[in-house]
């Protein structure tokens, strides 16, 4: 309606609206006006929050587990780059918007951040002018230690590491130069251990990085102070060392796999448990035998040395014998016949010369030298214990029953175990196979998580939680505050329209209404209302305002 509604204000002035909507808006109760104002303010706040959330975006981890020095340097650089950041995990992680993670990492890496708590060869880049030879040597040592710490910390089981190098100063005036040595302190992650091969790798890494460093001069310790790089030759040991213990475990595990591999196909999977204890002899012994025997048999003996000597004295031309006529006569020809007896010894000795032969032969004496070295790691005794589950049968109804094995079946399984591990009665091996029911612990079946508990859906809900909540708040504000206030301003009540007509044209005859036609009493009430409106329009206006507020 375009008719103006005249109301009385507290100061008595009369204010008229130029528009019908503005007239109805001014006639809205105070409560509806307050609701409209609050709704508009809340809706504006929700829209601003959505705009700020969409501008900030999702935050991701830029760096984690940084030292305080690196963390402060990175935050200062992010502030200069105008990159927003947050803290997480009690300050151990730095978060930046997801769309700026890679860009920030590249820019920080360009200026050398994060540097890390350990400095390496970058110390040589900041060499000062005029430093002494001792300072140069110490800087080189610190840089080398830092690089070794970085390399050792790269192992998956090592959390932190420290390296101490003892590099003596080489001097040409010393006859015997001191050799360098090194110590490595490693702190492992909880539940992690270093294998012997990894410890040997650390020792080799350090010894190969320092000139003239013997691997035996490198010591590796853990955080509890236990020497990890010690060997059995370093001193007296009690029990087995790490290598021997590992060998025993491998031997026992090999026998267990043999037993389970041959018994499991018979009794079924998870129906056999076996353990083997091996006594291994790591004693080292060496024997040397030297045997002599005379030359026997028809085999030719080896000649060690041979010495031959021969002397021959011919007939002498010097006269000999008793001086006289007989000794001056020529010798008488021999009268002995061929094949007969020899001449008298005197005449042979007188008429012939003397000859002597000596032959000395030394033969080698038979000699056998045998060196025997016993192999280490021989198995002295084996003890095996095997437990076999009862036979489990399931009937057609799904009911399971267990029955023990017979003595014959247990003996057969014992024979198989003996053959599998190489049973030796002379060695003192013992094998025990028993049949007993296994205790089955019922565990609740883990069902697959429903769709609403899937990780991808939870991440999606977390990402959409903030904007979704803001949208719901906006809808509640519109439907609960703004919409009722606008409805009250746009739709006046029927009684108000009638009063507007009465006040605007009091002399015009009223339009017949269904109430007037239906009852004369209604016509009287309407006439009284018109009269009251003429006499006291302010009171009528208050009454109509109360009616409208009750209806809304």
């Amino acid at each position: 309606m375009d008719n103006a509604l005249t109301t009385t204000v507290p100061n008595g002035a009369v204010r008229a609206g130029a528009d019908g909507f503005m007239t109805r808006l001014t006639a809205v109760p105070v409560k509806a006006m307050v609701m409209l104002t609050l709704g508009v303010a809340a809706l504006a706040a929700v829209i601003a929050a959505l705009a700020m959330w969409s501008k900030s975006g999702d935050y991701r981890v830029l760096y984690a587990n940084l030292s305080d020095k690196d963390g402060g340097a990175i935050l200062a650089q992010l502030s200069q780059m105008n990159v927003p950041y947050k803290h997480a995990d009690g300050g151990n992680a730095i978060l930046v918007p997801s769309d700026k993670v890679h860009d920030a990492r590249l820019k920080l890496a360009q200026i050398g951040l994060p540097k890390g708590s350990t400095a390496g060869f970058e110390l040589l880049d900041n060499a000062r002018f005029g430093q002494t030879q001792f300072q140069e040597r110490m800087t080189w040592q610190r840089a080398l230690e830092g690089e070794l710490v970085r390399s050792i910390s790269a192992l998956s089981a090592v959390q932190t590491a420290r390296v101490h190098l003892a590099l003596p100063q080489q001097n040409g005036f010393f006859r015997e130069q001191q050799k360098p040595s090194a110590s490595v302190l490693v702190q492992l992650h909880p539940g992690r251990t270093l294998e012997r091969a990894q410890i040997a790798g650390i020792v080799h890494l350090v010894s190969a990085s320092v000139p003239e460093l013997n691997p035996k001069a490198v010591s590796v310790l853990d955080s509890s102070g236990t020497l990890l790089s010690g060997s059995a030759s370093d001193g007296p040991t009690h029990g087995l060392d790490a290598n021997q213990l590992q060998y025993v475990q491998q031997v026992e595990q090999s026998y267990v796999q043999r037993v389970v591999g041959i018994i499991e196909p018979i009794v079924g999977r998870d129906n056999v448990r076996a353990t083997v204890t091996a006594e291994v002899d790591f004693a080292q012994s060496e024997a040397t035998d030297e045997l002599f025997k005379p030359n026997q048999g028809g085999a030719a003996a080896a000649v060690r040395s041979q010495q031959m000597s021969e002397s021959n004295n011919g007939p002498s031309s010097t006269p000999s014998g008793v001086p006289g006529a007989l000794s001056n006569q020529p010798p008488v020809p021999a009268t002995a016949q061929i094949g007969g007896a020899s001449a008298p010894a005197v005449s042979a000795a007188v008429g012939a010369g003397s000859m002597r032969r000596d032959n000395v032969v030394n033969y080698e004496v038979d000699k056998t030298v045998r060196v025997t070295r016993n192999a280490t790691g021989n198995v002295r005794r084996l003890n095996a214990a095997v437990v076999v589950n009862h036979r489990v049968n399931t009937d057609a109804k799904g009911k399971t029953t267990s029955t023990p094995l017979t003595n014959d079946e247990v003996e057969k399984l014992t024979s198989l175990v003996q053959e599998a591990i190489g049973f030796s009665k002379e060695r003192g091996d013992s094998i025990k196979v028993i049949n007993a029911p296994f205790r089955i612990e019922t565990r609740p079946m883990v069902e697959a998580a429903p769709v609403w508990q899937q990780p991808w859906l939870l991440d999606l809900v977390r990402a959409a939680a903030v904007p979704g909540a803001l949208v719901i708040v906006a809808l509640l504000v519109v439907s609960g505050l703004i919409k009722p206030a606008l409805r009250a301003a746009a739709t006046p009540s029927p009684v108000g329209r009638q009063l507007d007509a009465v006040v605007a044209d009091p002399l015009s005859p009223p339009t017949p209404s269904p109430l007037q036609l239906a009852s004369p009493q209604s016509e009287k009430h309407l006439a009284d209302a018109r009269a009251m409106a003429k006499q006291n329009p302010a009171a009528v206006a208050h009454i109509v305002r109360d009616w409208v507020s009750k209806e809304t």
Side-chain angles (χ1 to χ4, degrees):
M1 296 176 59
D2 295 335
N3 298 327
L5 178 63
T6 305
T7 59
T8 304
V9 293
N11 57 6
V14 179
R15 183 179 61 185
D19 190 21
F21 179 77
M22 295 301 299
T23 303
R24 290 190 296 270
L25 187 61
T26 55
V28 172
V30 178
K31 181 179 179 180
M33 184 63 68
V34 171
M35 293 174 58
L36 179 61
T37 304
L38 293 177
V40 172
L43 184 61
V46 169
I47 294 175
L50 282 173
M52 293 177 61
W53 184 87
S54 61
K55 183 179 179 181
S56 61
D58 188 16
Y59 277 76
R60 297 298 176 90
V61 177
L62 179 64
Y63 292 110
N65 299 325
L66 293 174
S67 62
D68 296 339
K69 184 177 181 180
D70 286 341
I74 290 176
L75 292 183
Q77 193 64 30
L78 291 177
S79 300
Q80 295 180 3
M81 296 164 54
N82 295 326
V83 177
Y85 59 87
K86 293 181 179 179
H87 298 283
D89 297 336
N92 293 331
I94 300 177
L95 308 179
V96 297
S98 57
D99 57 342
K100 297 182 179 181
V101 171
H102 302 290
D103 188 18
R105 285 180 180 175
L106 293 176
K107 290 182 179 179
L108 292 174
Q110 185 178 4
I111 59 178
L113 291 177
K115 296 181 179 179
S117 58
T118 303
F121 283 129
E122 60 268 14
L123 290 175
L124 303 179
D125 298 335
N126 302 324
R128 295 176 299 174
F129 179 76
Q131 60 182 356
T132 62
Q133 184 179 4
F134 176 77
Q135 292 175 342
E136 290 180 353
R137 187 171 68 254
M138 293 304 299
T139 303
W140 165 258
Q141 182 174 341
R142 288 179 55 197
L144 185 57
E145 290 175 350
E147 293 296 331
L148 289 175
V149 167
R150 290 178 178 177
S151 301
I152 297 174
S153 300
L155 298 177
S156 59
V158 178
Q159 184 176 8
T160 57
R162 295 192 65 183
V163 177
H164 302 278
L165 298 178
L167 305 179
Q169 184 178 3
Q170 302 298 330
N171 195 333
F173 296 99
F174 293 160
R175 179 176 298 176
E176 294 181 358
Q177 301 290 341
Q178 274 187 310
K179 298 298 182 181
S181 59
S183 299
V184 181
L185 177 64
V186 294
Q187 182 177 1
L188 306 180
H189 289 284
R192 300 287 187 88
T193 57
L194 286 176
E195 298 180 357
R196 299 297 301 179
Q198 293 176 324
I199 298 175
I202 294 176
V203 172
H204 182 73
L205 173 66
V206 176
S207 62
S209 302
V210 180
E212 298 182 2
L213 177 58
N214 193 340
K216 295 182 179 180
V218 180
S219 302
V220 181
L221 293 85
D222 60 1
S223 57
S224 62
T226 304
L227 183 63
L228 303 179
S229 61
S231 59
S233 60
D234 294 339
T237 58
H238 302 281
L240 303 179
D241 61 3
N243 290 331
Q244 294 174 351
L245 184 60
Q246 184 178 6
Y247 176 76
V248 173
Q249 292 176 353
Q250 291 177 356
V251 171
E252 293 175 349
Q253 187 65 24
S254 175
Y255 283 116
V256 170
Q257 292 178 356
R258 293 181 186 180
V259 173
V260 175
I262 197 171
I263 299 299
E264 197 173 46
I266 301 175
V267 298
R269 186 179 180 85
D270 296 334
N271 287 326
V272 59
R273 297 291 185 272
T275 178
V276 177
T277 303
E279 296 182 7
V280 183
D281 184 12
F282 291 101
Q284 298 180 357
S285 61
E286 181 176 349
T288 303
D289 298 334
E290 188 172 352
L291 304 178
F292 298 90
K293 62 181 181 179
N295 295 318
Q296 297 177 358
V303 178
R304 181 178 184 181
S305 63
Q306 183 176 5
Q307 181 179 2
M308 297 179 64
S309 63
E310 182 178 352
S311 61
N312 187 7
N313 295 326
S316 178
S317 58
T318 304
S320 61
V322 179
L326 294 177
S327 59
N328 292 330
Q329 293 179 1
V332 181
T335 58
Q337 299 179 0
I338 298 175
S342 59
V346 175
S347 57
V350 174
S354 63
M355 181 180 65
R356 182 179 179 180
R357 289 182 179 178
D358 295 331
N359 188 9
V360 180
V361 180
N362 296 325
Y363 295 94
E364 287 286 355
V365 180
D366 291 343
K367 179 181 178 181
T368 302
V369 178
R370 182 182 295 110
V371 179
T372 304
R373 293 185 180 90
N374 294 331
T376 60
N378 295 327
V379 177
R380 293 189 300 182
R381 186 180 178 184
L382 291 176
N383 298 324
V386 182
V387 181
V388 181
N389 189 17
H390 282 183
R391 184 182 292 108
V392 179
N393 299 322
T394 305
D395 55 8
K397 297 182 180 180
K399 183 179 180 181
T400 59
T401 57
S402 60
T403 57
L405 301 179
T406 62
N407 295 332
D408 188 17
E409 292 175 338
V410 174
E411 291 179 358
K412 291 181 179 179
L413 293 178
T414 305
S415 300
L416 289 177
V417 174
Q418 290 178 353
E419 296 296 330
I421 67 174
F423 177 79
S424 176
K425 187 176 182 180
E426 293 78 9
R427 195 170 53 186
D429 298 347
S430 64
I431 296 176
K432 187 65 176 179
V433 180
I434 65 173
N435 178 229
F438 286 4
R439 182 178 178 181
I440 302 176
E441 297 181 359
T442 57
R443 297 180 180 178
M445 297 182 62
V446 180
E447 299 180 356
V451 179
W452 58 85
Q453 294 182 358
Q454 296 294 332
W456 62 269
L457 184 59
L458 295 178
D459 294 340
L460 182 61
V461 170
R462 293 191 190 98
V466 175
L470 294 177
V471 170
I472 292 175
V473 171
L475 293 177
L476 292 177
V477 169
V478 172
S479 61
L481 297 178
I482 298 178
K483 190 175 181 181
L486 294 178
R487 186 184 298 112
T491 307
S493 62
V495 178
R497 288 196 299 267
Q498 294 178 2
L499 291 176
D500 288 340
V502 170
V503 174
D505 191 8
L507 300 177
S508 61
T511 304
S513 63
L515 295 176
Q516 294 175 348
L517 297 176
S519 174
Q521 191 71 20
S522 299
E523 183 178 357
K524 181 180 178 181
H525 291 320
L526 185 58
D528 294 340
R530 290 173 181 171
M532 184 177 179
K534 292 178 181 180
Q535 295 175 2
N536 194 357
V540 174
H542 285 294
I543 293 173
V544 173
R545 181 176 300 172
D546 294 338
W547 290 351
V548 173
S549 61
K550 292 180 180 179
E551 292 180 358
T552 57

